[in-house]
Structures are given as C-alpha cells and as structure tokens.
Amino acid sequence: MDPLTLLREYTIRNELHKIVRIGDDYRFGNDYSFPCTIETAYRSKHVQANRYTLETLINFITNHHLKHTDYIQQSRSLRIPAVTLPDRKPLLDYLTGKTASSDSIEFLKFPQPNETTAPISVSAAGVGNDENFLTDVRVLENRNPIELIRAVEKPLKDRESILMCKNRDFYSVFTAALRRDEDRQRAESFQRKDGLVAKNRIERGGFGGGDELGYDGGPKAKMHLKGSKIGEGVPIILVPSAFSTLITIYNVKEFLEDGVFIPTDVKLKQMKGMKPDCITVQKKFSRDRVVTAYEVRDKPSALKAEDWDRVVAVFVLGKEWQFKDWPFKNHVEIFNKIVGFFLRFEDDSVESAKTAKQWNVKIISISKNKRHQDRAAALEVWEKLEEFMRSRSH
C-alpha cells in the first residue's frame, strides 16, 4: 500500500487520530507501518521537485487550519520540512478528497507480499559529467520498501563533487575559522586569569587589604551600599535549592556566563550527582575588560552574619517559605537591600508568577525550546544586577 494513498483514505474517513507515531515509524491502525521520513508520491512543484516525506504530509494535514506563518514556525520547532504555500491548496484538496488526482503525484512502486520477482531499470545521471549509467535492480519477494527506494535513488553529489565549485575559494573560510579560534583562546585566557584572581580573593577571605589590586590593575576600593553595606569579599548571589525552580546551583553558571539555559536534571546527570557548595560566576560575554566575580550559593542557613552583608541578589521561587529564617523583617526590606529575580517559562500560566508579582523583583521569561533567546534573558539579569550595584554603591 502506498503511504500517500493510505493517508488520503484515513483523511477522508476522518481517522487521522488512528495514525500514531511510535519511535521513527508511523502506524496506520493495526494494518500498516511506514518510516516517518519515507518519501511519498507527492512532488513539490516549487522546491526542486522534491518529494514530500510522510511526516511532512501528516504534520500538514493535522495542522492545515493554522495560518501559513504559524504552520511554518510550528514545523521549524519540530524540525519537520514544511509544505510550501503554493502546494498547500492542491495538496489539501487531494488529501481531503475534493480532487481525485494531481499532476504532482508520481507513484512509487512498492512491493506487495505476493509480488513476483521483476527487473527494474533505473537511469541515473552523474553530477559533474554527461555520462549516464543504467542500473539493473531486482526486487525480491517480501523485500523491504526502504531497500527498493534506496535502489532507485539518483545520486546527485558526493563529498568530493560538492567541494568542486567554480570561482570559489575556501581559503577565506579557513582563515576566518582560524581567527575565530584564536579569539576564543584569547578570551578563555582572560577568563581563566580573572577566575584565578576571584578564587584567590575568596580564599584570602575577601577584597580587603590596602595593597590589593582590582581587576583593572589599580587599588581595589571596598564597596558599600546605602542603608546596608557589602562586606569584604566577593558579592553573593543566592539561588533556590529546590528542583522546582528553573535556576539552581547546577545550571546557574552556564546561564549567567554563557547565556544558555540547561535544565537542572540534564546538568545533574552530567555532573553525576555531585553538588557544589559554592561556585564563582562572571559576566563572560561582556566587552568590558573589568569583570566582577560573584559567588553563587543555595544554602542561606549556612551563611554567617558577615556573609549576609555580601548578599546582593537572589533568584526567587515565588514561595513565602523560601525566606524563612532570613535576617530581615519582611519582603520590603529584603528587596530594598537585595535585587530579586524570578525566572519563568514564557508560556507558563499567570498563576506561577502571581506571588512574585507582588514583590519588588525582576520577572524574566525564557522559551522552553528557543535556546538562542537565552542570551538576551541572561543579559537582562546582568543589566539589572549591575544597575542595582551602581545605584547602591558610593
């Protein structure tokens, strides 16, 4: 049975719900099963005459009610090739039974269980020359349809011919890659140097000392806050220890330093369950040569009285119990002396941020799937934190 014909029958009978994806295959009820990426008989008229795959057609027919722009975004999020705009209406008319056929359809021959052995001649043109060659393929009884498709494939390019481009020179690409690698190594060298400085200061017990030098090479002045002071030492950022929050001690470094959100459960597996008591983070994607280091901790109960003087920021859960036993009177005092952040997924319900909205905290949203947007969210944190530090220092 041809998958295109079968999909049309299920669409006309309004039985698309019986098509189930299991792993890399689509199962049509209990009768047929096809690989998701198998090519169908329907050719696109506008994309180099490519055949649409089965997963493309199923995704289209189940989402044809969407606007084309929304459908394109939905397809990209699933990494499934989309049906082009000019192909939408004729394809929809065929699948729903409004038209009986289409000149875009060129059926492939799929072997049937009782099909006898038959020779198939395939003419394929080689790329880069005008020679044609003829391949004789015999289809054996009960042969897998995928093997048949591979047998009639037309090779267009190989790894060598694809590099043979007229009037093209890849030397500029090579030199650009070398330059980027040198820039990366130089940046990592500066970051390691800054990290060692921060580590040494932590081990010495703070920024204090009249002869101590700052990151810019000059004498390092002690910082004080209006109404409160930052104690001597690296400023502290607190994160929740609960796994129900997006930012934890496990993934905060990648988020703040690299601008990439990695779920806590993924980082937990990478770290093999090892939990650090304290980590140091810096704003790595800054053009400034002066980089401030921060400690990140998730155990407020382990802080001493002098440590609380160094706390400058907190990622909140949106739960009252997070601030139990904190040395402050109420939320007003907390978020006057400490800048607060609440990180949430942009499509979460309003209720998830209901409590946090009542506090003087910065609410920052990230996408569940669009990781390229994480950097902007991390920059929001740094900008708010640096603004807070500037406004409270003197």
Side-chain angles (χ1 to χ4, degrees):
M1 172 65 73
D2 175 74
L4 177 64
T5 304
L6 194 62
L7 177 60
R8 183 172 185 265
E9 292 178 1
Y10 271 68
T11 304
I12 295 173
R13 297 200 305 261
N14 197 25
E15 294 181 350
L16 290 175
H17 62 280
K18 293 184 179 181
I19 303 176
V20 181
R21 179 166 184 164
I22 301 178
D24 295 329
D25 297 324
Y26 276 113
R27 292 189 180 178
F28 289 71
N30 296 321
D31 300 325
Y32 296 93
S33 177
F34 297 96
C36 298
T37 55
I38 189 173
E39 291 186 345
T40 67
Y42 203 97
R43 285 186 178 274
S44 171
K45 293 183 178 180
H46 305 275
V47 186
Q48 299 178 353
N50 287 338
R51 296 178 184 270
Y52 286 121
T53 62
L54 180 59
E55 67 177 350
T56 292
L57 296 188
I58 292 178
N59 184 54
F60 166 70
I61 195 61
T62 54
N63 295 283
H64 68 86
H65 59 281
L66 297 176
K67 293 181 180 180
H68 190 66
T69 53
D70 296 337
Y71 162 68
I72 292 295
Q73 292 179 356
Q74 184 263 358
S75 299
R76 287 176 178 172
S77 66
L78 297 176
R79 296 183 178 179
I80 296 176
V83 173
T84 62
L85 181 60
D87 287 335
R88 280 182 63 114
K89 188 178 187 308
L91 176 58
L92 181 62
D93 290 345
Y94 174 74
L95 291 178
T96 55
K98 291 182 180 180
T99 57
S101 184
S102 170
D103 56 2
S104 296
I105 297 175
E106 181 182 337
F107 283 105
L108 293 168
K109 184 179 179 182
F110 287 87
Q112 301 299 321
N114 297 323
E115 188 174 24
T116 58
T117 301
I120 296 180
S121 295
V122 182
S123 178
V127 174
N129 57 67
D130 297 329
E131 297 180 1
N132 293 331
F133 60 91
L134 191 65
T135 305
D136 184 30
V137 181
R138 291 192 171 277
V139 182
L140 302 178
E141 183 179 359
N142 297 327
R143 188 168 180 177
N144 190 310
I146 298 299
E147 296 179 4
L148 173 60
I149 293 174
R150 289 175 177 170
V152 299
E153 283 181 344
K154 297 179 180 180
L156 297 178
K157 290 181 181 289
D158 58 25
R159 63 183 181 183
E160 294 183 1
S161 62
I162 201 170
L163 294 175
M164 297 175 63
C165 303
K166 294 182 179 179
N167 302 321
R168 292 289 182 180
D169 182 6
F170 289 96
Y171 181 73
S172 60
V173 179
F174 175 69
T175 55
L178 287 179
R179 186 164 53 252
R180 285 194 298 269
D181 188 57
E182 291 174 357
D183 292 342
R184 178 183 58 80
Q185 293 180 2
R186 190 180 301 109
E188 289 178 352
S189 176
F190 282 124
Q191 290 160 10
R192 284 193 297 268
K193 180 180 178 181
D194 291 334
L196 290 173
V197 172
K199 181 178 179 181
N200 290 337
R201 287 179 172 175
I202 294 173
E203 292 174 349
R204 289 199 303 268
F207 284 160
D211 297 330
E212 187 176 4
L213 298 180
Y215 288 111
D216 55 358
K220 184 71 174 86
K222 300 177 184 178
M223 290 190 298
H224 296 274
L225 298 185
K226 297 177 181 178
S228 164
K229 73 182 184 70
I230 297 181
E232 296 179 359
V234 179
I236 295 175
I237 300 174
L238 293 177
V239 297
S241 58
F243 276 36
S244 57
T245 184
L246 297 186
I247 291 296
T248 63
I249 196 77
Y250 295 98
N251 63 0
V252 66
K253 191 175 184 69
E254 284 77 11
F255 180 68
L256 291 182
E257 289 195 348
D258 303 323
V260 177
F261 172 77
I262 302 176
T264 295
D265 57 342
V266 175
K267 284 297 299 180
L268 188 60
K269 291 179 182 179
Q270 294 176 357
M271 299 173 68
K272 299 180 180 180
M274 296 179 61
K275 180 180 179 181
D277 294 328
C278 171
I279 63 173
T280 302
V281 298
Q282 301 167 339
K283 186 180 178 182
K284 292 169 62 175
F285 46 86
S286 172
R287 295 182 180 180
D288 299 332
R289 290 289 298 276
V290 180
V291 181
T292 303
Y294 294 84
E295 284 185 40
V296 180
R297 303 188 184 188
D298 68 346
K299 294 181 180 179
S301 59
L303 296 180
K304 301 177 182 178
E306 57 269 24
D307 293 331
W308 280 102
D309 292 335
R310 296 192 284 128
V311 176
V312 296
V314 59
F315 282 85
V316 302
L317 270 168
K319 306 292 183 181
E320 295 279 352
W321 53 262
Q322 181 182 1
F323 307 106
K324 183 180 180 181
D325 298 328
W326 281 38
F328 302 99
K329 296 178 182 178
N330 49 41
H331 297 112
V332 176
E333 183 181 2
I334 291 176
F335 297 117
N336 276 339
K337 297 181 178 180
I338 300 173
V339 61
F341 300 100
F342 180 74
L343 195 69
R344 62 186 293 273
F345 285 130
E346 58 188 6
D347 54 353
D348 280 351
S349 65
V350 178
E351 290 296 321
S352 64
K354 183 178 180 181
T355 304
K357 285 184 176 180
Q358 301 174 10
W359 302 336
N360 181 25
V361 301
K362 175 71 172 178
I363 298 178
I364 297 176
S365 300
I366 62 173
S367 170
K368 287 185 178 180
N369 303 308
K370 302 173 183 177
R371 298 278 65 84
H372 63 278
Q373 297 180 1
D374 296 341
R375 185 184 181 93
L379 278 173
E380 281 192 74
V381 174
W382 284 115
E383 289 172 0
K384 183 66 176 178
L385 178 57
E386 291 169 348
E387 177 187 354
F388 174 80
M389 297 291 282
R390 287 193 300 268
S391 66
R392 305 299 295 272
S393 63
H394 61 92

